[in-house]
Amino acid sequence: MPTPEHPLRKLGFLTIGLFDPADPAAGHQSTLEIIELGERLGFDSAWLRHRHLQFGISSPVAVMAAASQRTSRIELGTAVTPLGWENPLRLAEDLATVDLLSGGRINPGLSVGEPMNYDTVKHELYPDTAGVEDFSYARVNRLARLIAGEKVRDFSGKQGVVEEFSNRVEPHSAGLRSRLWYGAASMKSAVWAGGNGFNLLSSSVIFPDKDQEPDFAGVQQSQIRAYREAAAQSGNTARASQGLVVIPTDTASPAQREKYQRYVDERTPRTRAPQGPKGMMFAQDIIGTSDDIAEQLYAHRGFQEVDEVAFALPFSFDHEDYVQILTDIAGKLGPALGWKPAG
């Protein structure tokens, strides 16, 4: 529990990157530069949002591979990769490859469920199997087994003069299985993640149970506690991270402060009541000086349950805005939470 006496242990950030449809390369380069900056500032981790058929990063595995060659220490993760779009066997190969290239710094964050707007894309995504694809927890468990090195088939050994085959996913990256995260937004998913040996990513979006009071911090706290209890009962390690949107303004210009406040004001109404038939809840963005933000975080019941965070960068800001926000987080907010830069 982070308190003024018990410091925050790990500090990371989450970005969707910049994306101009007319010039997508520039946004990807900006993302790589932001990750490099994060390493220089001492952040422990950098995480990439995953977007399909949107203006964002559609291939974070490729971006992590590039970032791994431009950094040496910072951990690289996805938050989260929706497995409904992926073949677990092929994804296991890609993740293991990038993990080895990075020196064991990859933290894949995952989720399951039917792909968003599935009816509009299933004819291209799964033209022959759309009606029978399994989007349950079994899909992510399959990925975890393959990454752990469990047998894929009985066949292995030499065939012919040159070809040699393995019965498991190659390359195998030892330790990667322990760095798999599950993005849980409900009590059911949090308990499942704890019981099945996944680390927990708890973000700024959650779904309360029907009998729970619609208080974001309280619901998030109960989910993280349930996750830890399920992990303990199953003998698993219980590593949990929280990801709220925080916008420190310590060194922001007047124009930036005005822009940031406008962004928060536009998003605040959705935080006042549960949204949609499932009662989706959004956390309120936290904006202000680092001291003000630290005070609010210390009082946040969800934050009180973790000792590592991956603060989410706002959408659609400019590169220089992200530089200012990250610099303030590392230089002012992190220390206010007791964190010390890595390296």
Side-chain angles (χ1 to χ4, degrees):
M1 178 187 295
T3 67
E5 295 76 32
H6 297 86
L8 186 68
R9 186 172 60 88
K10 285 185 175 289
L11 175 61
F13 64 91
L14 166 64
T15 180
I16 196 172
L18 294 174
F19 199 106
D20 178 354
D23 186 18
H28 286 72
Q29 289 299 326
S30 168
T31 300
L32 292 173
E33 291 170 11
I34 287 296
I35 294 172
E36 289 180 280
L37 172 65
E39 176 160 284
R40 292 196 301 273
L41 292 172
F43 279 91
D44 298 292
S45 60
W47 302 75
L48 302 171
R49 292 188 186 274
H50 200 158
R51 292 292 185 267
H52 288 294
L53 302 181
Q54 291 181 260
F55 303 117
I57 297 171
S58 63
S59 183
V61 175
V63 176
M64 287 193 298
S68 75
Q69 302 306 292
R70 297 169 68 154
T71 58
S72 61
R73 178 196 51 77
I74 193 169
E75 295 187 357
L76 305 166
T78 62
V80 292
T81 292
L83 278 187
W85 289 77
E86 306 289 343
N87 179 300
L89 177 57
R90 278 290 301 115
L91 182 60
E93 293 175 327
D94 288 347
L95 290 173
T97 299
V98 178
D99 195 48
L100 291 171
L101 288 172
S102 73
R105 291 186 282 138
I106 301 303
N107 286 265
L110 310 161
S111 68
V112 295
E114 186 176 278
M116 186 180 296
N117 302 315
Y118 188 47
D119 287 341
T120 69
V121 74
K122 63 184 181 182
H123 62 289
E124 293 290 354
L125 187 58
Y126 299 114
D128 301 316
T129 60
V132 296
E133 288 291 331
D134 184 359
F135 300 127
S136 71
Y137 293 131
R139 200 178 190 94
V140 70
N141 261 334
R142 180 153 54 104
L143 175 69
R145 288 190 292 99
L146 295 170
I147 284 176
E150 292 190 20
K151 186 185 291 187
V152 175
R153 61 185 180 184
D154 292 329
F155 170 68
S156 64
K158 236 175 194 182
Q159 187 175 58
V161 178
V162 178
E163 297 283 358
E164 189 160 357
F165 295 88
S166 174
N167 59 9
R168 69 176 185 180
V169 166
E170 301 294 349
H172 175 68
S173 185
L176 180 57
R177 171 61 183 89
S178 67
R179 284 178 272 114
L180 294 183
W181 298 73
Y182 191 80
S186 67
M187 182 70 75
K188 176 183 176 183
S189 289
V191 170
W192 179 87
N196 285 271
F198 290 84
N199 304 310
L200 177 72
L201 289 171
S202 187
S203 72
S204 57
V205 179
I206 57 175
F207 297 92
D209 283 349
K210 291 182 179 180
D211 60 345
Q212 286 186 294
E213 180 183 350
D215 169 68
F216 183 96
V219 172
Q220 188 173 61
Q221 180 186 57
S222 66
Q223 290 182 3
I224 296 173
R225 287 182 174 179
Y227 161 76
R228 293 193 188 282
E229 182 177 350
Q233 290 177 352
S234 302
N236 297 321
T237 301
R239 184 180 172 190
S241 176
Q242 184 200 45
L244 301 178
V245 176
V246 302
I247 310 176
T249 58
D250 302 86
T251 64
S253 69
Q256 284 175 317
R257 290 192 189 98
E258 181 180 352
K259 174 171 144 181
Y260 300 169
Q261 190 61 58
R262 187 165 59 248
Y263 175 88
V264 171
D265 290 344
E266 289 174 353
R267 287 160 49 94
T268 296
R270 68 177 189 168
T271 70
R272 293 178 178 143
Q275 305 290 308
K278 293 185 178 180
M280 180 188 298
M281 297 181 64
F282 295 92
Q284 187 164 355
D285 303 334
I286 306 177
I287 185 172
T289 67
S290 289
D291 286 342
D292 290 340
I293 293 174
E295 183 178 356
Q296 293 182 61
L297 287 172
Y298 280 134
H300 192 288
R301 284 186 284 169
F303 179 78
Q304 291 169 4
E305 295 299 319
V306 299
D307 64 0
E308 56 185 294
V309 296
F311 290 135
L313 295 176
F315 291 8
S316 305
F317 280 16
D318 296 321
H319 183 89
E320 57 267 27
D321 299 330
Y322 294 139
V323 170
Q324 176 266 312
I325 291 170
L326 286 179
T327 302
D328 279 358
I329 290 176
K332 297 180 181 296
L333 177 57
L337 299 170
W339 171 80
K340 294 182 180 179

